[in-house]
Amino acid sequence: MTYVTEENLTDLAIERWSNIPDPRLRQIMTALVKHLHGFVREIEPTPEEWIAAIMWLTRVGQICDAKRQEFILASDVLGVSMLVDAINNRAPGAATPSTVEGPFHIPNSPEIADGGNMAEGAPGIPTFCTGKVTDLDGKPIAGAMLDMWQTDGEGLYEAQIEGAEGYMRGIYHTNPDGSYTVRTVAPIGYTIPMDGPIGELMNKTRISHMRPAHIHFHIAAPGYKSLTTHLFQKGCEYIDTDVVFGVKEPLIVEFVKKPAGSKAPTGEVMNEPFYEVKYDFKLAKAAAAMKAA
Ligand code: BEZ
Ligand code: FE
């Protein structure tokens, strides 16, 4: 029997956690023990610091419910969500990059016809998003689904408004030439929830707690790898400091301001200023489709 010393404890713990039949779980647990011990050896916490960390994690768990996921928020602000996303969405260079889904997606959004308004009655500057969904060679993908969600012009998602239903979200499909036209309002930058333990921690730092203005998309078409991404408004003040590390350069897009009296992409003449946002999404073939080719 080898008894415990400060020096041998990490090796003993790794050896014990190697006793797992499932090879993947064994790999995960031995790496977890190795890195956790490395972290503790590096910072050498006092007992008070250790219990403060345990109590903070306890509060993270206690605030979670069906609508609030503080552990995901922790993963987001530490850059872990974007790392997991990047590892699992390595796509050919020409494909539109992915970014995190975030906590505000609501499934089964209302189906809206091409050109229809997903921001009916919402405050904000009218905005028209147009473009195409294509494959990597620019071939149009007809019938691709665009599931979109965003904040209104006051920075609020449906989930943050009591009683709202089908607000600032919608499902569109591309035309036979791969094109889409969506009417919405311009989103604005907003803060992540700061009233819980993540906010408590952020408030001890000089890190911005803001997300830059963006529109969320899930895009799917048979035979293609589904894409979860955002479009970010170029020039938004939080674009270089996104608290969840979500901004990838190819996803930054100009919101082009048009004066009142201009014609919108839907053909209507607008009696107030509005934005036009043009973006073509490029989807990679699904792995199964690539194997078959
Ligand atoms: C969002 O964009 O909706 C979001 C993503 C991560 C954390 C908080 C919000
Ligand atoms: Fe968002």
Side-chain angles (χ1 to χ4, degrees), residues 104 157 190 211 214 216 230:
F104 295 116
Y157 283 94
Y190 60 88
R211 293 225 64 206
H214 59 271
H216 292 261
H230 311 357

PDB file of all heavy atoms in Angstrom, residues 104 157 190 211 214 216 230, ligand 2:
ATOM      1  N   PHE A 104     -31.341  32.055 -25.291  1.00  0.00           N
ATOM      2  CA  PHE A 104     -32.636  32.671 -25.605  1.00  0.00           C
ATOM      3  C   PHE A 104     -33.377  32.045 -26.784  1.00  0.00           C
ATOM      4  O   PHE A 104     -34.424  32.556 -27.188  1.00  0.00           O
ATOM      5  CB  PHE A 104     -32.458  34.180 -25.836  1.00  0.00           C
ATOM      6  CG  PHE A 104     -32.025  34.926 -24.611  1.00  0.00           C
ATOM      7  CD1 PHE A 104     -30.798  35.562 -24.541  1.00  0.00           C
ATOM      8  CD2 PHE A 104     -32.850  34.975 -23.491  1.00  0.00           C
ATOM      9  CE1 PHE A 104     -30.395  36.242 -23.400  1.00  0.00           C
ATOM     10  CE2 PHE A 104     -32.465  35.649 -22.340  1.00  0.00           C
ATOM     11  CZ  PHE A 104     -31.236  36.282 -22.298  1.00  0.00           C
ATOM     12  N   TYR A 157     -35.330  40.020 -25.283  1.00  0.00           N
ATOM     13  CA  TYR A 157     -35.810  38.807 -25.958  1.00  0.00           C
ATOM     14  C   TYR A 157     -37.199  38.463 -25.445  1.00  0.00           C
ATOM     15  O   TYR A 157     -37.594  38.888 -24.342  1.00  0.00           O
ATOM     16  CB  TYR A 157     -34.888  37.628 -25.622  1.00  0.00           C
ATOM     17  CG  TYR A 157     -33.578  37.629 -26.364  1.00  0.00           C
ATOM     18  CD1 TYR A 157     -32.442  38.196 -25.803  1.00  0.00           C
ATOM     19  CD2 TYR A 157     -33.471  37.048 -27.619  1.00  0.00           C
ATOM     20  CE1 TYR A 157     -31.239  38.180 -26.474  1.00  0.00           C
ATOM     21  CE2 TYR A 157     -32.266  37.028 -28.298  1.00  0.00           C
ATOM     22  CZ  TYR A 157     -31.157  37.597 -27.733  1.00  0.00           C
ATOM     23  OH  TYR A 157     -29.968  37.590 -28.402  1.00  0.00           O
ATOM     24  N   TYR A 190     -26.727  44.232 -25.492  1.00  0.00           N
ATOM     25  CA  TYR A 190     -27.419  44.033 -24.200  1.00  0.00           C
ATOM     26  C   TYR A 190     -26.487  43.364 -23.201  1.00  0.00           C
ATOM     27  O   TYR A 190     -25.471  42.769 -23.569  1.00  0.00           O
ATOM     28  CB  TYR A 190     -28.694  43.191 -24.389  1.00  0.00           C
ATOM     29  CG  TYR A 190     -28.465  41.808 -24.956  1.00  0.00           C
ATOM     30  CD1 TYR A 190     -28.187  40.738 -24.126  1.00  0.00           C
ATOM     31  CD2 TYR A 190     -28.532  41.575 -26.324  1.00  0.00           C
ATOM     32  CE1 TYR A 190     -27.978  39.468 -24.634  1.00  0.00           C
ATOM     33  CE2 TYR A 190     -28.327  40.315 -26.855  1.00  0.00           C
ATOM     34  CZ  TYR A 190     -28.040  39.260 -25.997  1.00  0.00           C
ATOM     35  OH  TYR A 190     -27.818  38.015 -26.502  1.00  0.00           O
ATOM     36  N   ARG A 211     -23.025  42.199 -24.656  1.00  0.00           N
ATOM     37  CA  ARG A 211     -22.953  41.527 -25.954  1.00  0.00           C
ATOM     38  C   ARG A 211     -23.225  42.579 -27.034  1.00  0.00           C
ATOM     39  O   ARG A 211     -24.124  43.405 -26.889  1.00  0.00           O
ATOM     40  CB  ARG A 211     -24.023  40.431 -26.071  1.00  0.00           C
ATOM     41  CG  ARG A 211     -23.804  39.260 -25.123  1.00  0.00           C
ATOM     42  CD  ARG A 211     -24.013  37.955 -25.857  1.00  0.00           C
ATOM     43  NE  ARG A 211     -23.040  37.783 -26.893  1.00  0.00           N
ATOM     44  CZ  ARG A 211     -23.201  37.059 -27.995  1.00  0.00           C
ATOM     45  NH1 ARG A 211     -24.337  36.427 -28.205  1.00  0.00           N
ATOM     46  NH2 ARG A 211     -22.248  36.942 -28.897  1.00  0.00           N
ATOM     47  N   HIS A 214     -26.802  41.782 -32.274  1.00  0.00           N
ATOM     48  CA  HIS A 214     -26.703  40.636 -33.190  1.00  0.00           C
ATOM     49  C   HIS A 214     -28.064  40.009 -33.428  1.00  0.00           C
ATOM     50  O   HIS A 214     -28.990  40.177 -32.633  1.00  0.00           O
ATOM     51  CB  HIS A 214     -25.752  39.579 -32.623  1.00  0.00           C
ATOM     52  CG  HIS A 214     -26.172  39.067 -31.281  1.00  0.00           C
ATOM     53  ND1 HIS A 214     -25.774  39.652 -30.103  1.00  0.00           N
ATOM     54  CD2 HIS A 214     -27.004  38.049 -30.917  1.00  0.00           C
ATOM     55  CE1 HIS A 214     -26.315  39.014 -29.085  1.00  0.00           C
ATOM     56  NE2 HIS A 214     -27.075  38.036 -29.546  1.00  0.00           N
ATOM     57  N   HIS A 216     -29.654  36.129 -34.229  1.00  0.00           N
ATOM     58  CA  HIS A 216     -29.304  34.692 -34.179  1.00  0.00           C
ATOM     59  C   HIS A 216     -29.956  33.928 -35.336  1.00  0.00           C
ATOM     60  O   HIS A 216     -31.108  34.219 -35.707  1.00  0.00           O
ATOM     61  CB  HIS A 216     -29.861  34.054 -32.905  1.00  0.00           C
ATOM     62  CG  HIS A 216     -29.229  34.516 -31.634  1.00  0.00           C
ATOM     63  ND1 HIS A 216     -28.247  33.803 -30.982  1.00  0.00           N
ATOM     64  CD2 HIS A 216     -29.462  35.599 -30.858  1.00  0.00           C
ATOM     65  CE1 HIS A 216     -27.905  34.419 -29.873  1.00  0.00           C
ATOM     66  NE2 HIS A 216     -28.629  35.521 -29.769  1.00  0.00           N
ATOM     67  N   HIS A 230     -24.563  33.892 -35.594  1.00  0.00           N
ATOM     68  CA  HIS A 230     -25.174  35.213 -35.460  1.00  0.00           C
ATOM     69  C   HIS A 230     -24.642  36.096 -36.597  1.00  0.00           C
ATOM     70  O   HIS A 230     -23.556  35.849 -37.105  1.00  0.00           O
ATOM     71  CB  HIS A 230     -24.725  36.010 -34.240  1.00  0.00           C
ATOM     72  CG  HIS A 230     -24.709  35.411 -32.886  1.00  0.00           C
ATOM     73  ND1 HIS A 230     -25.113  34.162 -32.543  1.00  0.00           N
ATOM     74  CD2 HIS A 230     -24.317  36.002 -31.713  1.00  0.00           C
ATOM     75  CE1 HIS A 230     -24.958  34.002 -31.241  1.00  0.00           C
ATOM     76  NE2 HIS A 230     -24.478  35.096 -30.723  1.00  0.00           N
TER      77      HIS A 230
HETATM   78 FE    FE B   2     -28.282  36.955 -28.251  1.00  0.00          FE
END
